[in-house]
Amino acid sequence: QLHLQESGPGLLKPSETLSLTCTVSGGSIISTSHFWGWARQLPGKGLEWITTVFHSGSTYYNPSLKSRLSVSVDTAKNQFSVNLTSVTAADTALYHCVTHGREAYNGGYRPAYFDLWGQGILVTVSS
Amino acid sequence: DIQMTQSPSTLPAAVGDRVTITCRASRRIGVYLAWYQHKPGKAPEVLISEASTLATGVPSRFSGSGSGTDFTLTISSLQPDDFATYYCQQYEDYSYTFGQGTRLEI
């Protein structure tokens, strides 16, 4: 059974870069059945999708965060990672890695709803 | 971005009640809507996708309906394990926006 586990720093200072890694167990990250993504829950607010990647390198970014984001896959370690630059207090959140279900689109597939979530890692940005 | 408006934000209820949560999209999204359950300290779990398709292992007391802009999640007879926060999410476009959440409380 697929399992996702987030890792990374819990505390950063403003202007630093947040780097989070999700380790996939119980399945392969080069599976064609899944897209791999990140979402976050902002304090007192709702959920926000951040980014998604396919093992082939196709990437999808939240437009509001795109200028600060990069996402990648490490097939050797069965992991995927996200970097968010120039963090501020507004980036304080519980960050989850997720898998997307997929749906047929234009002869291929596109990421759909989130069919599995990691437990999440709390990241605080504070000076 | 597509905005998702969920109501109510809080829903007091009792075991055995039938409850309905609504979600409205700012433009038509077909049936590209999912519902999630989130309990404190646990990972959110998908309940329903494609507006009405129950995820594997989800009890049949949960049901979803709707298309276009208006959707509902219904729990036919509340169980103690159902007290949680529920979110809708559209996946019609690449913003994957969520509703604000509905906290189901005793």
Side-chain angles (χ1 to χ4, degrees):
Chain A
Q1 190 171 352
L2 207 58
H3 180 75
L4 306 175
Q5 182 65 59
E6 304 88 351
S7 59
L11 180 64
L12 286 91
K13 291 182 168 50
S15 80
E16 292 184 331
T17 295
L18 171 62
S19 296
L20 296 173
T21 295
C22 184
T23 300
V24 178
S25 57
S28 173
I29 204 160
I30 63 170
S31 162
T32 57
S33 299
H34 294 99
F35 291 78
W36 311 95
W38 292 91
R40 66 184 182 178
Q41 183 158 21
L42 301 159
K45 299 181 181 179
L47 292 160
E48 179 180 53
W49 168 72
I50 299 171
T51 183
T52 294
V53 63
F54 194 57
H55 70 84
S56 63
S58 299
T59 55
Y60 309 80
Y61 294 110
N62 185 320
S64 69
L65 300 170
K66 185 175 181 178
S67 64
R68 300 193 289 134
L69 276 174
S70 63
V71 64
S72 60
V73 170
D74 186 334
T75 56
K77 294 182 178 179
N78 223 37
Q79 295 174 334
F80 61 103
S81 300
V82 62
N83 286 337
L84 181 65
T85 62
S86 304
V87 298
T88 70
D91 295 308
T92 293
L94 181 65
Y95 286 78
H96 298 270
C97 53
V98 300
T99 65
H100 290 259
R102 63 179 192 175
E103 62 167 9
Y105 180 73
N106 279 358
Y109 294 97
R110 73 175 189 96
Y113 62 95
F114 300 171
D115 59 1
L116 182 68
W117 298 63
Q119 186 112 0
I121 181 169
L122 181 61
V123 175
T124 301
V125 180
S126 173
S127 55
Chain B
D1 288 0
I2 299 171
Q3 307 303 314
M4 305 301 293
T5 304
Q6 197 175 329
S7 61
S9 56
T10 305
L11 182 54
V15 173
D17 283 355
R18 177 185 178 90
V19 299
T20 298
I21 299 168
T22 64
C23 184
R24 175 166 288 177
S26 60
R27 66 167 175 84
R28 296 182 67 82
I29 59 171
V31 293
Y32 293 121
L33 185 105
W35 290 97
Y36 302 90
Q37 181 189 65
H38 190 196
K39 297 178 182 178
K42 296 187 70 177
E45 294 183 348
V46 62
L47 297 172
I48 288 170
S49 62
E50 280 188 272
S52 61
T53 301
L54 224 55
T56 303
V58 174
S60 58
R61 63 181 179 271
F62 291 90
S63 64
S65 65
S67 67
T69 59
D70 294 305
F71 302 87
T72 60
L73 171 69
T74 299
I75 309 173
S76 60
S77 178
L78 272 175
Q79 299 302 301
D81 191 48
D82 299 338
F83 290 92
T85 300
Y86 294 84
Y87 295 92
C88 62
Q89 180 203 33
Q90 66 79 20
Y91 52 99
E92 198 275 344
D93 77 356
Y94 294 114
S95 62
Y96 299 99
T97 42
F98 291 85
Q100 307 95 308
T102 295
R103 195 177 83 177
L104 199 50
E105 60 181 31
I106 300 173

